[in-house]
Amino acid sequence: MPQNKKEGLFFTTIVCFFMVLGMSSYNLLIHSQLTVQNLIIGFIPGFIIAFFIDIVIVSSAAKKIAFSLPIKKDNKIHLVIAISTCMVLGMVTFMSMYGVIMQFGFTNNFLQLYIATFTKNVVAALPLQLIIVGPLCRFFLSKVQDRQILSI
């Protein structure tokens, strides 16, 4: 886990990068539109929006919720799973809305499209975060911490 603000910003940036990359690829794939060009075009604004939402809205709320859950807070694995799950649920809530607005706009069936998109995204984002991105980014962070690259 990050030990200072620089490590926190580094960790947030790499998690956001890999989650947006993974979820953008997934969404383009399920809509049969996965090309490198489409991925790059959608990735840049998606990353900027996701990073902003993460920093400004979701991160602090997710941590507050995770720490209020009846889990063993001294157990690092329980805490990581709780925070990661709350982060995914928060980010999928907002980023699914962003995706529906960008693809379809505000249509009469916005709510139906949003619910379908949210469901598909949470099914992909949760295992992506818990099994691949989270462990990979914690590994990267540990290497940065070992080398004291971002220490104060």
Side-chain angles (χ1 to χ4, degrees):
M1 300 304 281
Q3 302 297 316
N4 58 51
K5 288 196 183 277
K6 287 181 186 177
E7 288 178 6
L9 184 60
F10 171 76
F11 186 72
T12 298
T13 302
I14 61 174
V15 168
C16 189
F17 176 89
F18 286 114
M19 286 301 293
V20 171
L21 182 64
M23 291 306 296
S24 294
S25 300
Y26 166 75
N27 278 289
L28 288 168
L29 182 67
I30 64 173
H31 291 101
S32 301
Q33 297 175 351
L34 181 57
T35 65
V36 173
Q37 181 179 2
N38 286 345
L39 185 59
I40 292 169
I41 290 169
F43 176 82
I44 294 167
F47 175 78
I48 292 167
I49 297 295
F51 190 78
F52 178 80
I53 290 170
D54 185 331
I55 297 290
V56 174
I57 303 170
V58 174
S59 182
S60 59
K63 288 174 187 170
K64 284 179 186 174
I65 293 168
F67 280 105
S68 72
L69 295 173
I71 60 167
K72 294 180 181 179
K73 291 165 188 70
D74 57 335
N75 185 318
K76 186 178 176 183
I77 293 172
H78 289 186
L79 199 53
V80 165
I81 290 171
I83 293 171
S84 295
T85 300
C86 290
M87 285 294 300
V88 166
L89 292 174
M91 291 303 293
V92 168
T93 298
F94 288 101
M95 293 307 290
S96 294
M97 189 177 303
Y98 167 77
V100 171
I101 292 168
M102 293 305 294
Q103 187 164 4
F104 303 106
F106 288 104
T107 62
N108 289 338
N109 59 344
F110 177 82
L111 186 58
Q112 181 182 358
L113 290 168
Y114 174 74
I115 291 169
T117 302
F118 177 89
T119 304
K120 289 176 187 171
N121 284 339
V122 85
V123 165
L126 200 52
L128 178 64
Q129 169 59 29
L130 294 175
I131 298 169
I132 300 169
V133 173
L136 181 67
C137 291
R138 283 189 295 281
F139 172 77
F140 289 156
L141 178 63
S142 73
K143 293 304 171 191
V144 166
Q145 288 171 329
D146 290 347
R147 294 191 174 103
Q148 297 182 343
I149 296 170
L150 298 173
S151 62
I152 294 176

